[in-house]
Amino acid sequence: MIWGIWGTISPQKFFPGPIAIIQAFIETWIGPAFTADVVPSVVRLVVGIVVSILVGIVAGTVIGLVRWLRELLEPTLEFFRAVPPPVLVPILMLVFGPGDATRVIVIVAGAVWPVLLNTIEGVRSTDSVMTETARSYALTRVERLRYLVLPSASPRIMAGVRQSLSVALILMVISEMFNNSSGLGYRITYFQTNYLIAEMWSGILLLGLMGILLAAIFGFVERRVLRWYHGIKEVERA
Amino acid sequence: MTSAPVAQPRIRSRRPARGLRKFVLGVAGLLGFLLTWELLPALGIVDARFLPPATTVLAQLATEFQDLEFWRNVGRTMTTWFLGLLIATLGAVAIGTVIGLVPYLRRLTHTTVEFLRPIPSVALIPLAILMFGFQMPAALLIVVYASFWQVFVQVLYGVADVDTVARDTAKSFGLTRASRFRNLVLPTALPYIMTGVRLGAAVALILTVTAELLIAVPGIGRVIVFARGAGDVPTVYVYVVVAGLLGLIVNLIFRLIERRVLSWHQSVRGEDVA
């Protein structure tokens, strides 16, 4: 509301009012542009996220369970996590060449670390009494993994996933801003260089909506996966 | 890090061996990684033009260390990072405390915050370019935006965590607003704020480098772009390694600061209250 009034009273070059943006939003993103730019972006994003979560959990579980492997890899992984993911974009573009696969790899290369490290941490901090109990009840390795290790690590894993979602979204945009072909990031830069301000804002708005949508989906999944955990917390607090 | 030198000499004598093992394995892991890196181009699995061997990159890194321009670039990056983090922290603490302390404001701003927070900061890059051109303030805008939310949310949690009994006690003892804030709210919220700042510091570094990559603000990110454009692949790798090292140092520094500032706090002292 404030924004709307302010925008109409003092029309500025770089801050169009909400009505202009919504108009631009409808004109720009509904129609062919949706399939040309939005869909590829979203597909890359989703594939990237799914791959990083899978890789992160699988590798994290293995590394977390095997102590010597963990001690062997920990410093190296620490370093990789510390590398700001965007600097990997030029390197990966060099090695894998420009293309859709590279963009997915870029997303994975940045988004996998939070999941991986949190999974390692979560798997490692499995309650030792429970581990021994499970062992003495002769649960097989797979059963132990399925019913003990993964559930007890899941709060940590979900925290990692939450972090990696925002990293993935950022990397999607960056990788598209870097290599001009298609996608949301490319579109927004294009509007900016051509001084289509309202259209640019509508792109920012769209990205914001995607961020909110991702957060909402994550919140829903987290509530399903960690229902038991939140239940315990609730009881403890009461 | 637990300091119980008198009580448990037995455990203490065993710990160095564990630590040593961990250290040796860790170094072995790093060496193994470097070796793999060295071998990949040497065996022709990856083209050496795209992935120069580790020795080349490390040797160049060593010569870069003696180059003043290198340190200037690092300095530029760190200046942007520091200023951005500082502004974001101060702003987030100030706004966060006010909003956190007034329930009415909290409800009023809740939806707006929830809407603004997930907007990826890189989406603002075009806007930053339009507003400030290809200058440092453009990078600052993005860095501040990204790290602000990290600190802000933590401040809100921290301020909400103030014990109601303690607050009412302070009120009935007639503490002024200022001294209530100084002696009660701030200490309660401090651990949260520190967590926020630590997360914010990492995010700020990422966004600083991103801004340098995409807006060409001077700093290590821009060197990477230029080197890539010039086909100078080893330099690209050198600066990627440097970016990683900066990230590591930032992490370490903030863990240290956290331990210092919160030395009185439960989570750091690690004593049982029971």
Side-chain angles (χ1 to χ4, degrees):
Chain A
M1 267 303 284
I2 296 168
W3 178 25
I5 296 163
W6 176 57
T8 37
I9 294 173
S10 62
Q12 275 186 325
K13 227 178 1 167
F14 300 146
F15 294 98
I19 298 161
I21 291 179
I22 290 168
Q23 263 172 6
F25 188 85
I26 294 169
E27 277 168 29
T28 320
W29 299 114
I30 297 178
F34 187 76
T35 44
D37 289 316
V38 182
V39 170
S41 285
V42 171
V43 169
R44 287 194 284 258
L45 181 68
V46 169
V47 173
I49 290 174
V50 169
V51 172
S52 22
I53 290 175
L54 286 182
V55 172
I57 291 181
V58 171
T61 314
V62 173
I63 297 174
L65 285 178
V66 185
R67 215 182 86 185
W68 64 267
L69 197 63
R70 197 176 68 233
E71 289 177 346
L72 190 69
L73 293 178
E74 215 158 37
T76 318
L77 292 179
E78 278 290 325
F79 175 77
F80 267 95
R81 188 185 52 170
V83 175
V87 299
L88 296 173
V89 178
I91 285 195
L92 293 170
M93 294 252 168
L94 269 175
V95 177
F96 296 102
D100 271 356
T102 313
R103 300 218 183 90
V104 173
I105 294 172
V106 165
I107 294 175
V108 174
V112 78
W113 305 112
V115 184
L116 180 68
L117 287 155
N118 273 345
T119 309
I120 295 177
E121 229 5 66
V123 168
R124 205 171 57 118
S125 56
T126 308
D127 193 61
S128 59
V129 175
M130 287 189 184
T131 318
E132 275 154 30
T133 313
R135 217 171 259 170
S136 49
Y137 276 120
L139 263 66
T140 62
R141 217 167 248 277
V142 178
E143 280 172 337
R144 275 212 306 266
L145 209 62
R146 168 82 187 72
Y147 295 109
L148 171 65
V149 176
L150 284 182
S152 81
S154 59
R156 286 283 179 90
I157 297 178
M158 289 316 270
V161 171
R162 181 200 292 273
Q163 280 179 33
S164 70
L165 285 185
S166 52
V167 176
L169 191 55
I170 288 177
L171 283 173
M172 179 200 87
V173 179
I174 292 177
S175 70
E176 289 170 354
M177 284 182 171
F178 241 89
N179 254 41
N180 308 355
S181 53
S182 70
L184 270 172
Y186 165 66
R187 265 300 129 184
I188 293 176
T189 333
Y190 171 82
F191 291 140
Q192 175 244 319
T193 44
N194 290 290
Y195 273 87
L196 297 164
I197 307 298
E199 280 82 354
M200 181 194 87
W201 271 104
S202 76
I204 295 177
L205 183 68
L206 183 62
L207 279 178
L209 289 177
M210 280 175 68
I212 293 165
L213 191 66
L214 266 182
I217 294 173
F218 174 79
F220 176 72
V221 173
E222 191 197 27
R223 266 198 298 284
R224 291 299 286 279
V225 175
L226 297 183
R227 201 157 36 181
W228 59 274
Y229 177 73
H230 290 310
I232 291 175
K233 282 277 140 181
E234 208 90 322
V235 171
E236 274 176 3
R237 229 176 285 147
Chain B
M1 276 302 122
T2 42
S3 50
V6 202
Q8 294 160 314
R10 201 162 49 85
I11 292 180
R12 217 162 60 105
S13 63
R14 230 187 327 163
R15 195 167 288 153
R18 278 279 300 278
L20 187 70
R21 177 190 139 97
K22 213 176 156 187
F23 178 76
V24 169
L25 273 175
V27 171
L30 268 180
L31 287 178
F33 165 70
L34 289 176
L35 193 70
T36 322
W37 181 4
E38 181 76 31
L39 284 179
L40 275 178
L43 296 176
I45 299 170
V46 182
D47 197 329
R49 268 180 310 163
F50 299 145
L51 181 69
T55 41
T56 319
V57 172
L58 290 183
Q60 198 185 333
L61 182 64
T63 50
E64 293 273 358
F65 274 141
Q66 298 154 14
D67 189 356
L68 193 60
E69 191 54 29
F70 167 82
W71 292 109
R72 274 201 204 111
N73 278 321
V74 172
R76 284 179 193 127
T77 301
M78 292 322 270
T79 314
T80 314
W81 168 79
F82 180 74
L83 280 178
L85 185 63
L86 189 70
I87 296 171
T89 308
L90 291 180
V93 171
I95 301 172
T97 353
V98 172
I99 291 182
L101 285 179
V102 186
Y104 165 72
L105 273 181
R106 206 166 171 168
R107 278 196 296 277
L108 188 72
T109 52
H110 180 74
T111 42
T112 319
V113 169
E114 283 307 306
F115 179 76
L116 287 177
R117 198 155 63 97
I119 294 181
S121 38
V122 283
L124 297 177
I125 285 179
L127 176 71
I129 296 176
L130 283 180
M131 284 171 70
F132 298 109
F134 297 89
Q135 300 291 329
M136 211 257 266
L140 266 186
L141 175 77
I142 291 159
V143 175
V144 170
Y145 184 85
S147 39
F148 176 81
W149 297 114
Q150 303 279 347
V151 188
F152 182 72
V153 171
Q154 293 291 335
V155 173
L156 282 189
Y157 283 140
V159 172
D161 195 35
V162 171
D163 190 38
T164 41
V165 175
R167 196 187 60 209
D168 293 345
T169 315
K171 236 180 221 169
S172 51
F173 273 15
L175 265 68
T176 59
R177 220 165 247 280
S179 90
R180 268 210 314 264
F181 175 75
R182 219 191 97 42
N183 295 317
L184 177 63
V185 177
L186 202 60
T188 316
L190 199 57
Y192 291 90
I193 296 176
M194 286 314 296
T195 310
V197 174
R198 184 162 47 83
L199 294 174
V203 171
L205 186 67
I206 293 177
L207 267 301
T208 308
V209 178
T210 309
E212 288 164 1
L213 281 169
L214 292 172
I215 319 184
V217 176
I220 58 174
R222 193 169 73 159
V223 179
I224 293 178
V225 175
F226 285 176
R228 174 173 175 254
D232 185 2
V233 180
T235 309
V236 175
Y237 280 89
V238 166
Y239 278 88
V240 169
V241 173
V242 169
L245 290 178
L246 285 183
L248 265 187
I249 294 169
V250 166
N251 268 349
L252 282 180
I253 290 176
F254 274 89
R255 270 184 215 162
L256 260 179
I257 295 179
E258 212 173 348
R259 203 168 285 149
R260 265 286 165 77
V261 175
L262 301 180
S263 51
W264 51 273
H265 192 264
Q266 203 57 52
S267 65
V268 178
R269 279 194 307 175
E271 282 169 18
D272 282 332
V273 251

